Each structure stands twice: as structure tokens, then as C-alpha cells.
């Protein structure tokens, strides 16, 4: 390939924003020449590189817009630490059928058992499959809902209303006023049978009446959440305490 043609190719790749092809063009051209590959094979490899790069950028953007606190997949979850957990029930969630069915998922259990890890892993899988995701803690969500209420702009286009999958983490770590409970009820009602919501909580359902400060509103919230829902109850010890104890033993 003459230098003039090479410059023109690089210029056109830049104009078309085919940046990954531009990066690997020389290398793949040399490999094709050395292996005597066909033009079609070379084109296939170049396009595959570009598609892969664009998909990586898309997923990173979705992760950023979705406010994920960290990136952990299901492969990193230690099922052996919770032998009583029904692994099949958890793994069945990763076919994402619950999103297609507009179902909810609730992870219950004490702090440190990996509820947030599982929720984030599901969000990552959903993002990889083209779904819009959004992660928030209960405290942050309530702040947003209160600000919406004060401003009078309950914009249903906000991510925590419209996205296909929303995770609300740490439900129950702090008590909620009756007024805030009504705002959360409106949030749940807005998503009911329209989109999927994942909640993590350290409180059993029998404790939600105390959490929301009103048995009527607590029942109404649970009624909508549990109507189409998969509940995963995780019992056991904390990963974090386990790692702390291991460090302590090493340094002792």
C-alpha cells in the first residue's frame, strides 16, 4: 500500500469515527499479508474490532450513567460462603426473564452477605444485554423524590422512574417518615408492572411496618412490590467481617 493511499485511508477512517480500525489497521494488514488472508477475511477482522470497541464504550457509558458503585460480576460471588443459599434460584435471575416480565427482585439478609454484589451483577448483565440501568441507595433516592416533590416536578423521564432496571440499595438501614413513605409508595406505584426494580434490605417484611411508620402504607408498598416478585433470602455471616478476621489472624 502506497503512503498516499495509506494516508487517505487513515483520513477517511477518522472522518467516519472508526477509531479502533484506525488503531489496528497496520497490524492487521501485516498479519493478513503474512498469512496470505483474503480481503474478505481482513475486512471481517477489522469490522469485528470496531464493533467490539464500540460495544465496550457503550457498556462503560451505561455503567457511568447508571451510577454503579463498583463493577462485580456473578463469577466473583462466593456461593461457598453461603451453602444454604439456593444457587439455582440466584442463577436463574441471570437469564433476565424477570426484566422481560416486569418483575421485581428483593434480596433480604443481614449486612455483608453480598446482597449489593448480586444486585450489581444483575445490573451489569442487563447493561451488557442492552438494558438501561440505574443504581441508588434508599437514602439518595428519598432525597431525589423529596426534591422532586418540593419543586413540583415529578418528571417521569428521570432514570429512576423510566429505566428498565432500577436498584434501590440499603432499604431499611434508616427509618423513614410517614411523608417520605408516601413518596416511596408513589415511586413504587409508578414502576409497578412497567419496569423492574431490585431492592436490597436487611429487614424482614414483618419489620417494614415499623420501617415506614404506617401499617397501611407499608402494606400498600409490599402489595405492589411482591405482586410480581422473586425474593432471595440470604442467611449467614458477613464477607467483610470474614476478611477482617483473616487480616487480623495474619497480622497477629
Amino acid at each position: 500500500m502506497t503512503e498516499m493511499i495509506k494516508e487517505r485511508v487513515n483520513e477517511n477512517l477518522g472522518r467516519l469515527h472508526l477509531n479502533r480500525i484506525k488503531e489496528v489497521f497496520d497490524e492487521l494488514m501485516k498479519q493478513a499479508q503474512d498469512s496470505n488472508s483474503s480481503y474478505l477475511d481482513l475486512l471481517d477482522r477489522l469490522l469485528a474490532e470496531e464493533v467490539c470497541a464500540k460495544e465496550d464504550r457503550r457498556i462503560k457509558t451505561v455503567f457511568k450513567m447508571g451510577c454503579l458503585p463498583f463493577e462485580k460480576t456473578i463469577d466473583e460471588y462466593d456461593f461457598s460462603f453461603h451453602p444454604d443459599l439456593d444457587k439455582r434460584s440466584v442463577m436463574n435471575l441471570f437469564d433476565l426473564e424477570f426484566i422481560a416480565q416486569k418483575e421485581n427482585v428483593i434480596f433480604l439478609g443481614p449486612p455483608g452477605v453480598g446482597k449489593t454484589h448480586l444486585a450489581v451483577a444483575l445490573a451489569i448483565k442487563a447493561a451488557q444485554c442492552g438494558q438501561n440501568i440505574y443504581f441508588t441507595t434508599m437514602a439518595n433516592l428519598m432525597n431525589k423524590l423529596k426534591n422532586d416533590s418540593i419543586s413540583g416536578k415529578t418528571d417521569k423521564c428521570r432514570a429512576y422512574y423510566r429505566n428498565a432496571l432500577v436498584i434501590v440499595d440499603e432499604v431499611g438501614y434508616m427509618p423513614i417518615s410517614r411523608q417520605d413513605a408516601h413518596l416511596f409508595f408513589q415511586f413504587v406505584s409508578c414502576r409497578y408492572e412497567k419496569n423492574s426494580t431490585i431492592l436490597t434490605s436487611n429487614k424482614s417484611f414483618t419489620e417494614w411496618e415499623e420501617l415506614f411508620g404506617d401499617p397501611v402504607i407499608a402494606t400498600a408498598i409490599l402489595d405492589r412490590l411482591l405482586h410480581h416478585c422473586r425474593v432471595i433470602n440470604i442467611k449467614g455471616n458477613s464477607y467483610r467481617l470474614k476478611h477482617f478476621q483473616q487480616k487480623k489472624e495474619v497480622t497477629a
Side-chain angles (χ1 to χ4, degrees):
M1 179 183 295
T2 66
E3 286 301 316
M4 185 178 295
I5 295 176
K6 184 177 178 180
E7 287 178 11
R8 190 161 65 244
V9 168
N10 281 327
E11 183 180 345
N12 286 330
L13 289 173
R15 287 180 176 178
L16 294 171
H17 303 290
L18 300 175
N19 299 321
R20 180 56 182 168
I21 292 180
K22 190 174 181 180
E23 288 176 7
V24 300
F25 187 78
D26 289 344
E27 179 184 350
L28 292 187
M29 272 289 296
K30 185 177 185 308
Q31 291 177 9
Q33 289 170 348
D34 292 344
S35 61
N36 200 28
S37 299
S38 68
Y39 293 123
L40 187 60
D41 180 66
L42 173 60
L43 179 61
D44 180 52
R45 294 179 65 187
L46 288 170
L47 292 176
E49 286 281 345
E50 187 65 39
V51 168
C52 185
K54 287 186 182 300
E55 181 63 11
D56 285 344
R57 288 195 295 272
R58 183 193 69 80
I59 291 174
K60 287 178 181 177
T61 299
V62 172
F63 287 174
K64 184 176 181 180
M65 297 293 291
C67 302
L68 291 182
F70 51 78
E71 294 179 24
K72 287 185 179 180
T73 67
I74 189 60
D75 294 332
E76 300 172 77
Y77 188 82
D78 185 4
F79 282 96
S80 66
F81 193 63
H82 298 298
D84 295 330
L85 177 61
D86 186 352
K87 182 177 179 179
R88 177 177 293 181
S89 295
V90 174
M91 296 307 299
N92 284 344
L93 294 172
F94 284 82
D95 63 10
L96 302 183
E97 186 65 19
F98 75 95
I99 296 179
Q101 298 296 326
K102 309 295 191 293
E103 295 175 337
N104 302 317
V105 177
I106 300 179
F107 292 108
L108 298 177
V113 294
K115 303 185 298 296
T116 305
H117 181 157
L118 291 174
V120 168
L122 279 169
I124 288 174
K125 179 64 180 294
Q128 291 170 340
C129 293
Q131 301 287 354
N132 289 324
I133 61 171
Y134 187 78
F135 180 99
T136 179
T137 63
M138 183 66 167
N140 286 339
L141 175 64
M142 293 315 305
N143 286 334
K144 292 177 187 299
L145 296 180
K146 282 187 281 190
N147 288 336
D148 288 345
S149 178
I150 292 169
S151 67
K153 297 179 180 179
T154 53
D155 187 354
K156 297 303 186 287
C157 289
R158 295 188 189 280
Y160 42 88
Y161 285 119
R162 65 174 171 77
N163 280 16
L165 180 61
V166 169
I167 297 167
V168 183
D169 196 29
E170 300 178 349
V171 176
Y173 281 82
M174 295 180 63
I176 298 172
S177 69
R178 184 172 297 184
Q179 181 180 359
D180 289 352
H182 280 276
L183 291 176
F184 187 67
F185 169 74
Q186 291 170 18
F187 162 79
V188 170
S189 296
C190 180
R191 294 185 58 78
Y192 175 60
E193 294 189 328
K194 295 184 182 73
N195 299 106
S196 295
T197 306
I198 297 178
L199 280 74
T200 74
S201 179
N202 65 337
K203 302 289 187 184
S204 65
F205 295 135
T206 57
E207 298 175 281
W208 281 37
E209 178 179 324
E210 180 182 353
L211 169 65
F212 289 104
D214 185 326
V216 175
I217 196 69
T219 300
I221 290 171
L222 283 172
D223 179 64
R224 283 158 178 76
L225 285 174
L226 296 177
H227 185 205
H228 309 291
C229 187
R230 306 188 194 188
V231 179
I232 305 293
N233 206 326
I234 309 173
K235 300 176 182 178
N237 299 317
S238 167
Y239 283 108
R240 290 184 286 270
L241 290 180
K242 171 192 172 185
H243 293 152
F244 173 77
Q245 187 61 36
Q246 288 174 340
K247 276 187 180 179
K248 190 175 178 182
E249 290 172 0
V250 169
T251 57

